[in-house]
Amino acid sequence: MRNIVIIGATSSIAEHCARLWTKQGDVTLTLVGRDAQRTERVAADLLIRSNYAEIRVVITDFLSPSSIKATADQIAQKGVIDIILIAHGSLPDQHDCEQDLNKAHSALEVNAISPVLFAEAFADHLAKANHGTLAMIGSVAGDRGRKSNYIYGAAKGLVTRYAQGLQHRFHNSGVRIILIKPGPTDTPMTSQIKAAGARLAPVDQVASDIVKGIESGKPVIYTPAIWQLIMSIIRHLPATIFNRLNI
Amino acid sequence: MISVESWGRIGIYPHNIMHLTAPDQALSIVKNNHPGIAYGMGKSYGDACLNPGQLLWNTRGLDHFIHFDADNGRLTCEAGVLLRDIQQLFLPRGWCLPVTPGTQLITVGGAIANDVHGKNHHGFGSFCDQVLRIQLARTDGSIIECSRHSSPDMFAATAGGVGLTGVIITAELQLRHSPNLWLETETIPYYGLEEFFYLSDSSETEWEHTVSWIDCLSGTAAKGLFMRGRPARDYDKATQPRRSRNIPITPPLSLVNRLSLKPFNLTYYQLQKLRPVQRHEYYEDFLYPLDHLTNWNRLYGPKGFYQYQSVVPRDSGMATTQAMLDAIASSGEGSFLAVLKTFGQRQSIGMLGFPRPGVTLALDFPNNGDATKKLFERLDSIVRDAGGRIYLAKDARMSREMFEAGYPLLNEFTRYRDPGISSALSRRLMGS
């Protein structure tokens, strides 16, 4: 019986990963969310899809360090964790962030500080057990700052640097740290850019890449895989060329 | 604005799209943003799911199961759940949907809104016969729960009501015990409608599923293949999920055309005849044969295609069907996917529901402009004279007169419409 913890369980990508995990066989799922009603909705659905797996719902404040710590301690107490997926996030409008520092502040909190604090809160428990995989959802946007979304990109860049640090810390141990970098994915979070005509990857494909990637243990997973190539080019463009691009 | 087309691809139109992602959020979106029409998988062939230049509420985010009672098979789910997901999840547990149409890639909401039917109509009726309860979000901000017992009129208006009575948010469905994932099937060649009706009538008690393919170019003694299936007894085999194939691009011309149709029909007929008469088929292969061919609608080329599906009463069914086949043959237009089937005794519970006792003929025609429309007018007059009707889920072109003649409960239906909901179809056929 695998023990899987999902932070930000109402995120569409996380939910589709959970659906795949329930298909794979016996799991215990702990769903951590902000909104009780939305999280219970996901839990009820997974309960039916999994043919009545054990599913726990934990509601907590995602921005309070003490709540995050208490949540991690409480979950870790229930048993050895096999997989933790930290999936929450929101896509802010870059222009809004430039106009209103409160929006920039909240985007940085939700997309950078909160996931890092969750990971940090679980890291000690993983170290003690010397077991488990911690996967964080970053973004291709974190690979290089771009004028069209650099607040979000900066937050995801922070997650990238943090995950590198954790990978260093847990090198040669029983704990694995995985950073997932999805390209733009078709979820409620991206409905604004979808309405603007952007091409988005289907969420079930992204979820399937993530579940397989976590199994494989690769330290960094791009999904869809083509983004590894695209971002490699974008990272290596000299600033003189890059800064002229309208991206 | 995003370009959206329906399954027939007759036209592609810009739409505003708003995504419904949770029941409470859906209610507030529908209340604060209208007029619009719900859009699920876009498998309606005509304009029932379109609202050019205006708003679509995309329901695919409402894809959660809510409750399942394993003692009595009652399933409550959100309206954007696909029939495929229900089948794949519950069949291994011994339950399935009693009625599904020829594709399972449609939403529960769409299945209710069109009161879809399948090959087992004679035994199980149409989709809404298994619907116990519907929850609607109305544009005035209210939620209406309806069933056969509470607000039965609203229930009857919503079943087959092409989305015009409110946005279907959740539904409770009665699943049935699934007998077997495998069906024993038979394919029997027939000549002429007399043989078809004989085969249909004599199969109805012993066979759950009946349907037939008919070569609509083959003249008076129409050549056809009668297919029937029933849950297999004592048969089980492991299956690999079948790989889907995709039609990746739209060919510049319809691949179904005057030159190709005769050889197509002949080849199909001969190939089917080569296969053993009695076989075992996996339920997905028998019930949803085209689901493995993604985007098959592109085969009809950039101008798209029409589907013409009618039902006429049984008494005059043979003569009417023959008259329709004759009209098609003499028009020079032809149909490859021509399906002929008898309906059982159950009338749709819906005020605008399509299924009724009689015989239904479904025909695909590549869009050849005026020539195709002219043939449809000829077919309309035959159907109208016989007291029949055209299926709204398929229609993109019938006249208001034809619609009113086929749907006598229209005036009653209008009373239950949500004034904040409008589609291309509702404006074409109901004026608003």
Side-chain angles (χ1 to χ4, degrees):
Chain A
M1 177 92 77
R2 289 201 298 175
N3 187 6
I4 299 177
V5 178
I6 301 177
I7 315 293
T10 61
S11 122
S12 189
I13 290 180
E15 200 182 345
H16 281 82
C17 290
R19 288 180 183 180
L20 292 173
W21 278 318
T22 60
K23 263 194 206 168
Q24 287 177 351
D26 280 353
V27 285
T28 301
L29 288 175
T30 304
L31 309 180
V32 182
R34 284 163 275 202
D35 177 323
Q37 193 188 345
R38 295 272 166 98
T39 314
E40 290 290 353
R41 170 178 177 244
V42 172
D45 176 69
L46 290 170
L47 198 64
I48 294 169
R49 287 180 194 266
S50 65
N51 212 356
Y52 306 97
E54 190 178 342
I55 295 177
R56 305 185 196 123
V57 169
V58 178
I59 302 302
T60 192
D61 180 348
F62 275 48
L63 301 180
S64 145
S66 58
S67 306
I68 290 171
K69 175 85 171 86
T71 303
D73 291 350
Q74 177 206 334
I75 292 170
Q77 235 177 26
K78 297 258 166 115
V80 175
I81 300 166
D82 297 300
I83 297 172
I84 303 167
L85 175 66
I86 300 179
H88 58 288
S90 73
L91 185 63
D93 182 89
Q94 173 63 31
H95 184 71
D96 289 352
C97 289
E98 290 165 20
Q99 300 301 312
D100 182 348
L101 283 191
N102 287 315
K103 287 196 172 143
H105 180 239
S106 114
L108 291 167
E109 269 193 313
V110 170
N111 292 302
I113 296 175
S114 172
V116 162
L117 292 184
F118 267 108
E120 201 56 18
F122 278 102
D124 276 343
H125 296 293
L126 295 175
K128 252 179 250 157
N130 193 31
H131 171 81
T133 299
L134 186 148
M136 303 183 78
I137 298 193
S139 168
V140 294
D143 278 12
R144 187 163 188 176
R146 288 176 294 122
K147 66 180 174 187
S148 61
N149 72 345
Y150 59 82
I151 293 290
Y152 181 73
K156 291 297 191 179
L158 187 144
V159 171
T160 303
R161 234 19 119 235
Y162 171 80
Q164 282 174 352
L166 268 195
Q167 284 167 345
H168 194 184
R169 172 178 167 189
F170 285 108
H171 176 65
N172 258 341
S173 80
V175 177
R176 286 190 299 194
I177 310 297
I178 294 178
L179 177 64
I180 298 147
K181 297 183 181 178
T185 307
D186 190 354
T187 68
M189 188 178 95
T190 55
S191 61
Q192 293 300 322
I193 59 172
K194 190 182 182 180
R199 281 193 142 235
L200 304 172
V203 66
D204 45 354
Q205 185 196 335
V206 167
S208 159
D209 285 355
I210 292 173
V211 166
K212 280 187 208 143
I214 288 175
E215 226 56 63
S216 80
K218 276 203 326 199
V220 178
I221 301 162
Y222 283 88
T223 167
I226 183 72
W227 282 97
Q228 180 153 17
L229 177 68
I230 298 172
M231 293 319 293
S232 167
I233 295 168
I234 289 189
R235 274 200 318 274
H236 288 100
L237 279 178
T240 45
I241 297 174
F242 180 83
N243 288 339
R244 276 186 234 161
L245 298 178
N246 193 21
I247 55 175
Chain B
M1 289 272 187
I2 293 185
S3 294
V4 178
E5 59 194 9
S6 68
W7 192 244
R9 307 180 68 249
I10 291 292
I12 179 160
Y13 308 98
H15 287 79
N16 281 320
I17 300 181
M18 302 198 89
H19 294 265
L20 309 185
T21 55
D24 54 337
Q25 175 259 15
L27 180 63
S28 85
I29 287 212
V30 167
K31 183 186 172 194
N32 296 317
N33 305 274
H34 55 263
I37 185 79
Y39 182 96
M41 289 294 279
K43 290 284 159 90
S44 294
Y45 286 67
D47 54 2
C49 62
L50 296 177
N51 197 13
Q54 300 184 57
L55 180 62
L56 297 180
W57 297 300
N58 186 309
T59 62
R60 281 292 287 126
L62 300 173
D63 67 341
H64 291 68
F65 293 108
I66 297 169
H67 185 71
F68 179 64
D69 188 332
D71 292 329
N72 57 22
R74 289 180 173 199
L75 172 69
T76 307
C77 66
E78 293 171 4
V81 169
L82 298 188
L83 304 194
R84 180 197 61 193
D85 294 347
I86 298 177
Q87 296 291 68
Q88 289 185 349
L89 192 60
F90 289 97
L91 269 162
R93 298 182 204 171
W95 295 94
C96 68
L97 289 163
V99 175
T100 55
T103 173
Q104 50 177 350
L105 301 177
I106 62 167
T107 64
V108 167
I112 294 171
N114 295 284
D115 193 14
V116 298
H117 58 271
K119 298 175 179 65
N120 62 359
H121 183 268
H122 54 278
F124 289 85
S126 49
F127 192 86
C128 290
D129 288 322
Q130 68 205 6
V131 176
L132 301 170
R133 203 164 40 85
I134 300 169
Q135 196 182 51
L136 292 168
R138 303 263 292 186
T139 58
D140 62 5
S142 63
I143 291 268
I144 295 183
E145 286 236 355
C146 56
S147 69
R148 279 175 192 73
H149 314 292
S150 104
S151 307
D153 293 340
M154 184 57 92
F155 187 78
T158 302
V162 277
L164 299 174
T165 60
V167 178
I168 302 170
I169 299 293
T170 69
E172 186 182 14
L173 309 174
Q174 177 66 61
L175 305 189
R176 71 153 158 143
H177 284 291
S178 61
N180 193 336
L181 300 183
W182 287 86
L183 300 164
E184 52 178 276
T185 67
E186 292 187 1
T187 304
I188 305 162
Y190 67 84
Y191 292 91
L193 294 176
E194 229 162 294
E195 275 188 42
F196 162 77
F197 281 105
Y198 172 76
L199 279 167
S200 276
D201 294 345
S202 58
S203 300
E204 283 192 357
T205 48
E206 297 279 316
W207 296 84
E208 180 182 330
H209 302 283
T210 66
V211 68
S212 89
W213 170 84
I214 185 162
D215 181 348
C216 65
L217 297 182
S218 60
T220 331
K223 229 172 25 190
L225 296 161
F226 186 82
M227 289 159 248
R228 56 192 185 186
R230 60 188 169 199
R233 273 164 295 188
D234 307 323
Y235 185 88
D236 198 14
K237 211 172 87 179
T239 49
Q240 291 292 323
R242 233 170 95 171
R243 265 196 100 93
S244 290
R245 279 182 289 182
N246 184 22
I247 308 292
I249 52 156
T250 306
L253 285 175
S254 171
L255 297 184
V256 181
N257 56 45
R258 281 168 209 214
L259 288 176
S260 69
L261 197 65
K262 274 209 165 162
F264 262 7
N265 277 352
L266 192 67
T267 313
Y268 180 76
Y269 182 76
Q270 294 301 340
L271 279 177
Q272 291 295 322
K273 267 187 31 177
L274 283 178
R275 302 169 81 177
V277 172
Q278 291 172 324
R279 288 185 294 155
H280 284 106
E281 285 184 85
Y282 195 57
Y283 78 98
E284 288 187 334
D285 297 334
F286 182 77
L287 295 176
Y288 321 116
L290 284 175
D291 281 358
H292 296 300
L293 192 58
T294 311
N295 296 317
W296 63 262
N297 55 344
R298 291 181 179 163
L299 291 173
Y300 285 93
K303 286 193 287 180
F305 71 107
Y306 290 99
Q307 181 154 110
Y308 189 96
Q309 182 166 2
S310 56
V311 60
V312 296
R314 183 56 198 273
D315 306 339
S316 57
M318 193 172 332
T320 310
T321 307
Q322 189 62 56
M324 293 175 76
L325 292 176
D326 292 344
I328 295 165
S330 66
S331 75
E333 301 290 305
S335 166
F336 173 60
L337 285 167
V339 173
L340 183 62
K341 166 164 178 56
T342 51
F343 277 149
Q345 286 312 305
R346 280 208 233 183
Q347 172 98 23
S348 166
I349 187 178
M351 293 174 190
L352 296 189
F354 173 70
R356 51 157 293 168
V359 53
T360 179
L361 178 64
L363 307 148
D364 283 6
F365 292 95
N367 175 14
N368 290 330
D370 287 346
T372 316
K373 286 195 176 140
K374 222 166 159 183
L375 168 63
F376 288 156
E377 277 158 26
R378 178 83 196 93
L379 296 177
D380 281 351
S381 74
I382 300 172
V383 170
R384 189 170 37 212
D385 290 349
R389 61 168 70 131
I390 306 280
Y391 193 4
L392 294 178
K394 308 282 178 79
D395 182 61
R397 39 67 50 195
M398 81 167 125
S399 67
R400 252 176 113 154
E401 295 69 39
M402 181 70 195
F403 171 59
E404 286 165 7
Y407 291 90
L409 297 179
L410 174 62
N411 283 338
E412 199 183 340
F413 170 80
T414 307
R415 294 213 298 273
Y416 298 94
R417 275 190 67 176
D418 182 324
I421 296 185
S422 174
S423 65
L425 179 140
S426 76
R427 290 191 290 280
R428 174 167 61 87
L429 295 177
M430 303 172 206
S432 68

